[in-house]
């Protein structure tokens, strides 16, 4: 394999900065987090950063000042900052799709100028935001009524991946900001059970379907949307004239929207420079805006923008997304870590990690570099996690005493939501767990400490905690729309940094294509018993078994 890329620059693992990190890793092996704190008791206050409302403590990371310097040198050498500026500047950094990457324009203020091919995209962004605001207000006020004149009380978003996970996650996060008289449902799975369970208790006359699809060709979404239309018209006993009052579309593809039968005046547009997994703060957020209102939605956008500006302008030593990205490079590249856990200590963030899975794994789950050469370094980790206290009674055993290194982010809040009333009293217990876990993971419990508790010798190894498990703690005052925006932008830019260092295209997703094509090919084999050319013997036998079980 060539040691250089097409541009003549060295491949990542041939760079002197990479070798320096490898050597440094050798030198650090055997150093425990306990040693790092012994050597530098101020670490707990020194290794902290602030961005907006987010206080970030990275003192329990397996790093020293030297590690951080070396990682930043790697970032400089791999031109992370140049690529960042190119992204913000509207250049076509999504090389395999030849597209600009401008989700940051979705939250830019009206006064900003961001050009793609010489055209300022900001006025278009704000025009759509305005259209969304007017529509959301009409639904929330009851002015927009359904075909029979009834007020809309149910919103069903039909979309998948980036057209589902963002609003579905954010609706959970911001429930206490939502109009509680509205019912929101999110349908994504092509399994008919998803739509069935979502509409079975709804009055069609009070239901609005939002069909969310960037391409408007995604088979799952179009199938569910078609079924939803049949359900609605059947329930109402109406013809196609009822569709206009009950269906709107969020898409970049006006032609396909019209073909489906949705009036394009009821379409909320976005653009090909918004990747699906980066689209939640575009028109794709319409269901959320209806739930929480335009003001809260805009406050969330302001939170995104705050972190965008921080990422764009903060010096490397204080740049939080840069730090988070580089920590991932450190563990993947030099500790062979395969996974990354995101553990929110907030019930409201229960779907946050699922959202991050698409953001991170669809972006950085790549094994060729931007020039198409296979990479010989680790790229995106397996991202996983659920709310922390539940995890403690499920998989934390592996984090504490298993054989794998799983760096983790702990996310928590100082204040419970006022709405919890007397239940807010449980918050200190929740947060006691939050703080206790990162301490236990970092410092563990030595055999001597276990013995001092009078534990019989044969049980000492079982009750010993090795510790030395790296975590980042992200603490904010309260979970607000702005804080949600800040958190998402933080992770978006962390993913960006890693993709830049690894020299991969974080903005394409060719890896999902093969399955899609094969599914289309396999379907006639299931339904008609068609002899599908190219089916491998295992799949052929499984298809035959399926048909037998279905009595076909
Ligand atoms: O299959 C993957 C994907 O293309 C995602 O990237 C995207 O978020 C999702 O499908 C949905 O796509 P669309 O919004 O075009 O329906």
């Amino acid at each position: 394999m060539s040691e250089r890329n097409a541009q003549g620059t060295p491949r990542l693992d041939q760079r002197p900065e990479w070798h320096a990190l490898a050597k440094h890793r050798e030198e650090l092996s055997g150093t425990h987090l306990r040693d790092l704190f012994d050597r530098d008791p101020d670490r707990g206050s020194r290794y902290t950063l602030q961005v907006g409302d987010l206080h970030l403590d990275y003192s329990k990371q397996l790093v020293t000042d030297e590690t951080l310097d070396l990682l930043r040198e790697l970032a400089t050498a791999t031109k992370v900052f140049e690529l960042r500026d190119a992204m913000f500047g509207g250049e076509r950094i999504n090389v395999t799709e030849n597209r600009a990457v401008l989700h940051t324009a979705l939250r830019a203020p009206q006064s900003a100028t961001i050009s793609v091919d010489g055209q300022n995209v900001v006025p278009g962004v704000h025009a759509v935001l305005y259209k969304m605001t007017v529509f959301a207000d009409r639904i929330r006020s009851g002015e927009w009524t359904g075909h029979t004149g009834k007020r809309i009380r149910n919103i069903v978003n039909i979309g998948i991946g980036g057209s589902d996970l963002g609003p579905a996650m954010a609706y959970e996060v911001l429930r206490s900001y939502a109009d509680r008289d509205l019912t929101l449902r999110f349908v994504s799975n092509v399994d008919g059970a998803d739509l069935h369970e979502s509409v079975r208790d709804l009055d069609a006359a009070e239901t609005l379907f939002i069909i969310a699809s960037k391409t408007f060709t995604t088979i799952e979404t179009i199938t569910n949307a078609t079924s939803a239309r049949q359900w609605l018209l059947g329930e109402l006993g109406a013809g196609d004239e009822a569709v206009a009052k009950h269906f709107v579309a969020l898409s970049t593809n006006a032609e396909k929207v019209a073909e489906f039968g949705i009036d394009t005046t009821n379409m909320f547009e976005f653009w090909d420079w918004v990747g699906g997994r980066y689209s939640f703060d575009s028109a794709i957020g319409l269901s959320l805006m209806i739930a929480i209102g335009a003001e809260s939605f805009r406050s969330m956008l302001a939170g995104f923008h705050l972190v965008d500006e921080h990422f764009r302008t903060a010096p490397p030593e204080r740049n939080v997304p840069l730090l988070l990205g580089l920590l991932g490079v450190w563990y993947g590249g030099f500790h062979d870590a395969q996974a990354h856990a995101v553990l929110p200590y907030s019930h409201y963030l229960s779907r946050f990690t699922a959202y991050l899975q698409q953001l991170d794994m669809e972006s950085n789950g790549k094994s060729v570099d931007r020039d198409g050469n296979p990479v010989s370094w680790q790229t995106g980790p397996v991202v996983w996690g659920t709310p922390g206290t539940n995890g403690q009674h499920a998989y934390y055993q592996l984090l504490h005493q298993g054989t794998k290194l799983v760096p983790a982010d702990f996310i928590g809040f100082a204040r419970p939501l006022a709405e919890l009333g007397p239940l807010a009293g449980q918050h200190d217990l929740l947060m006691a767990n939050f703080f206790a876990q990162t301490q236990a993971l970092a410092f563990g419990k030595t055999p001597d400490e276990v013995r001092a508790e009078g534990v019989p010798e044969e049980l000492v190894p079982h009750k010993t905690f090795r510790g030395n498990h790296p975590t980042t703690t992200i603490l904010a005052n309260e979970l607000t729309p702005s804080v949600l925006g800040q958190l998402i932008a933080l992770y978006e830019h962390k993913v960006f940094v890693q993709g830049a260092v690894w020299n991969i295209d974080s903005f394409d997703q060719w890896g999902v294509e093969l399955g899609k094509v094969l599914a289309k090919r396999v379907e006639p084999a299931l339904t008609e018993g068609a002899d599908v050319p190219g089916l491998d013997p295992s799949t052929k036998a499984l298809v035959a078994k399926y048909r037998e079980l279905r009595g076909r």
Side-chain angles (χ1 to χ4, degrees):
M1 194 184 303
S2 163
E3 295 193 350
R4 292 188 171 263
N5 295 316
Q7 298 81 9
T9 52
R11 288 167 53 80
L12 178 61
D13 54 359
Q14 303 302 325
R15 289 184 180 278
E17 296 80 7
W18 188 268
H19 292 310
L21 277 159
K23 184 163 165 279
H24 173 68
R25 165 74 180 96
E26 284 289 314
E27 289 158 5
L28 269 189
S29 63
T31 305
H32 196 284
L33 272 169
R34 283 192 287 260
D35 306 319
L36 297 179
F37 274 87
D38 284 347
R39 276 181 225 159
D40 178 9
D42 288 341
R43 220 181 132 84
S45 51
R46 221 161 54 78
Y47 279 12
T48 60
L49 286 172
Q50 185 81 26
V51 50
D53 296 302
L54 310 177
H55 172 83
L56 186 118
D57 179 315
Y58 59 102
S59 61
K60 297 189 187 81
Q61 291 291 351
L62 294 165
V63 293
T64 63
D65 288 355
E66 189 184 351
T67 323
L68 297 168
D69 284 343
L70 291 171
L71 285 167
R72 285 190 287 259
E73 280 165 26
L74 182 69
T76 304
T78 51
K79 300 202 176 347
V80 171
F81 309 111
E82 285 86 337
L83 194 68
R84 172 196 64 188
D85 295 344
M87 173 177 75
F88 277 95
E91 288 179 37
R92 293 173 184 266
I93 65 162
N94 176 355
V95 284
T96 71
E97 295 180 336
N98 190 28
R99 285 180 181 162
V101 174
L102 267 183
H103 43 280
T104 51
L106 298 170
R107 51 263 192 161
Q110 206 150 8
S111 55
T113 303
I114 302 170
S115 299
V116 177
D117 298 333
Q119 199 187 337
N120 183 12
V121 299
V122 178
V125 167
H126 282 269
V128 173
L129 265 175
Y130 179 71
K131 185 173 171 183
M132 290 165 68
T133 302
V134 171
F135 183 72
D137 286 349
R138 289 183 73 192
I139 298 283
R140 287 166 65 85
S141 67
E143 187 196 324
W144 179 287
T145 52
H147 179 64
T148 66
K150 274 186 157 182
R151 183 177 182 156
I152 297 294
R153 296 185 189 281
N154 315 311
I155 317 293
V156 181
N157 187 84
I158 297 182
I160 197 163
S163 299
D164 164 70
L165 287 162
M169 170 276 290
Y171 174 61
E172 289 303 322
V173 176
L174 299 175
R175 259 177 194 272
S176 79
Y177 290 83
D179 179 343
R180 300 282 193 173
D181 290 333
L182 291 172
T183 296
L184 265 86
R185 303 264 164 87
F186 294 87
V187 175
S188 54
N189 200 328
V190 75
D191 183 341
D194 196 356
L195 182 62
H196 169 72
E197 290 298 333
S198 298
V199 299
R200 55 180 291 281
D201 57 345
L202 301 184
D203 177 354
E206 298 181 340
T207 301
L208 174 79
F209 288 97
I210 299 180
I211 313 304
S213 176
K214 178 176 168 179
T215 55
F216 232 76
T217 56
T218 304
I219 187 102
E220 293 87 344
T221 299
I222 300 307
T223 304
N224 275 325
T226 307
S227 301
R229 185 170 54 190
Q230 276 163 7
W231 174 82
L232 182 106
L233 300 184
E235 291 282 308
L236 295 182
D240 282 345
E241 71 283 358
V243 169
K245 288 296 207 153
H246 293 271
F247 279 79
V248 299
L250 321 175
S251 189
T252 58
N253 192 341
E255 206 181 313
K256 289 280 174 196
V257 168
E259 217 173 88
F260 179 83
I262 296 179
D263 184 346
T264 46
T265 51
N266 293 336
M267 170 180 151
F268 299 81
E269 173 196 19
F270 60 112
W271 306 271
D272 76 353
W273 40 261
V274 183
R277 54 193 172 275
Y278 296 88
S279 67
F280 145 65
D281 48 354
S282 69
I284 291 294
L286 182 65
S287 54
L288 179 73
M289 189 193 268
I290 294 172
I292 66 172
E295 203 181 313
S296 291
F297 193 86
R298 281 177 190 267
S299 149
M300 182 185 76
L301 294 184
F304 272 98
H305 181 63
L306 184 154
V307 173
D308 291 344
E309 284 303 282
H310 165 88
F311 178 52
R312 197 173 65 78
T313 61
E317 301 71 33
R318 294 213 311 275
N319 198 308
V320 179
L322 178 73
L323 172 76
L324 292 184
L326 291 176
L327 286 172
V329 170
W330 174 233
Y331 291 117
F334 304 95
H335 292 75
D336 201 30
Q338 310 283 324
H340 183 89
V342 180
L343 307 167
Y345 277 64
S346 163
H347 180 70
Y348 290 110
L349 283 171
S350 58
R351 300 212 58 200
F352 187 65
T353 311
Y355 171 78
L356 292 186
Q357 279 181 329
Q358 188 198 14
L359 174 64
D360 199 323
M361 294 166 77
E362 198 167 78
S363 295
N364 285 343
K366 312 284 164 65
S367 53
V368 294
D369 68 15
R370 297 171 136 253
D371 306 313
N373 302 308
V375 299
S376 46
W377 46 90
Q378 280 216 36
T379 59
V382 177
V383 176
W384 60 279
T386 52
T389 38
N390 297 356
Q392 283 172 215
H393 294 274
Y395 50 77
Y396 273 38
Q397 166 66 36
L398 180 147
L399 296 183
H400 284 288
Q401 289 188 316
T403 52
K404 295 174 177 56
L405 177 78
V406 185
D409 297 344
F410 279 65
I411 304 173
F413 301 90
R415 286 170 193 274
L417 295 185
E419 189 184 300
L420 296 187
L423 292 172
Q426 295 179 199
H427 193 70
D428 288 333
L429 179 57
L430 170 72
M431 292 305 285
N433 278 281
F434 175 79
F435 295 116
Q437 285 296 328
T438 60
Q439 169 164 352
L441 285 164
F443 298 98
K445 200 171 184 184
T446 64
D448 286 345
E449 285 168 341
V450 177
R451 282 188 196 101
E453 289 175 353
V455 170
E457 197 54 34
E458 69 276 15
L459 284 184
V460 168
H462 298 280
K463 297 202 165 192
T464 296
F465 288 68
R466 189 173 77 254
N468 217 26
H469 300 292
T471 60
T472 296
T473 298
I474 301 174
L475 183 64
N477 190 28
E478 197 174 331
L479 185 47
T480 61
S482 169
V483 164
L484 175 63
Q486 293 172 41
L487 278 170
I488 298 173
L490 182 65
Y491 280 96
E492 285 178 349
H493 297 317
K494 167 203 157 160
V495 166
F496 173 89
V497 167
Q498 295 183 336
V501 172
W502 291 326
N503 191 28
I504 54 180
D505 187 336
S506 299
F507 301 101
D508 61 15
Q509 57 285 316
W510 300 108
V512 296
E513 291 304 319
L514 178 62
K516 284 189 194 172
V517 173
L518 288 183
K520 270 196 195 143
R521 228 192 281 159
V522 171
E523 202 189 357
L526 305 184
T527 52
E528 302 151 23
D531 191 14
V532 175
L535 268 197
D536 68 89
S538 160
T539 310
K540 214 173 195 166
L542 284 166
V543 166
K545 186 72 193 169
Y546 173 85
R547 283 184 57 81
E548 180 195 321
L549 290 170
R550 294 289 308 259
R552 287 180 180 157

